[in-house]
Amino acid sequence: ATQLYYTVRGRDFFRKPYDPARDAVDHAFGLRQFLVLGDVERVLSFGYQFDSEGSLTHGSVIARDFDYNAHQLDVGLTATLFGLVRGQVAYLFRLEDYRFPNSRAIDGVRRHDNEHQIAVALEHDLTSALALTCDFVGVINNSNIPNFAYDRDIVSVGVRVQF
């Protein structure tokens, strides 16, 4: 299957210092391909997305710091492991190119971020309505402006109830 999509996202911050400088609209266009690998429980997916975020307060220095165009590539594999656990592993690469010189940088440098994400999700049915879940997301965000570089690891364990 092939998926072509468009999304629009509005950001409306309610408190200072982000309101109204960080209020913005993001438009994203993407294409994703799904391939069944011999069994409907084994699916390979890969995709590309372009998005652009623009602030609603164009004259603000803070707002201009966060206007960007981004390119994103991702690949994922979903499969059942040993008939016991549904699993998904995915990798995403995202390149954000900020459109204006950043106020936190010396000499009017524009910000460029490249982000790597790895996600692993496991799910095991306990009953027909109850499942045990375990998820991991790791993020490495490299930036040419050190204030914006970060690493993040998130682990989530839970129980899903389906009605």
Side-chain angles (χ1 to χ4, degrees), residues 81-153:
L81 307 170
F82 311 112
L84 299 172
V85 177
R86 283 183 303 284
Q88 182 176 32
V89 61
Y91 171 76
L92 178 141
F93 174 75
R94 181 174 173 84
L95 177 63
E96 291 180 350
D97 181 21
Y98 289 80
R99 292 184 269 189
F100 301 102
N102 194 281
S103 64
R104 294 185 177 124
I106 300 171
D107 300 328
V109 171
R110 286 184 357 178
R111 178 178 162 195
H112 302 283
D113 289 10
N114 64 69
E115 181 175 299
H116 303 270
Q117 291 184 21
I118 295 173
V120 177
L122 302 173
E123 186 174 281
H124 173 69
D125 290 332
L126 299 172
T127 68
S128 61
L130 207 58
L132 183 61
T133 64
C134 181
D135 305 302
F136 167 78
V137 176
V139 178
I140 300 169
N141 190 79
N142 299 308
S143 181
N144 66 326
I145 300 174
N147 291 358
F148 297 104
Y150 64 89
D151 296 346
R152 178 179 302 147
D153 295 308

Side-chain angles (χ1 to χ4, degrees), residues 2 15 19 39 49 54 58-60 78-80 100 108 120 125 146 149 162:
T2 302
R15 294 198 174 121
D19 179 42
D39 182 338
Q49 176 179 295
H58 301 292
S60 163
T78 303
T80 299
F100 301 102
V120 177
D125 290 332
Q162 183 173 325

Side-chain angles (χ1 to χ4, degrees), residues 5-9 26-30 49-52 94:
Y5 62 90
Y6 165 76
T7 62
V8 61
R9 177 184 66 187
D26 184 271
H27 299 274
F29 302 89
Q49 176 179 295
F50 171 80
D51 69 284
S52 181
R94 181 174 173 84

Side-chain angles (χ1 to χ4, degrees), residues 10-24 53:
R11 292 179 184 252
D12 188 2
F13 291 84
F14 297 114
R15 294 198 174 121
K16 299 289 182 190
Y18 304 110
D19 179 42
R22 288 282 287 121
D23 293 350
E53 182 162 313

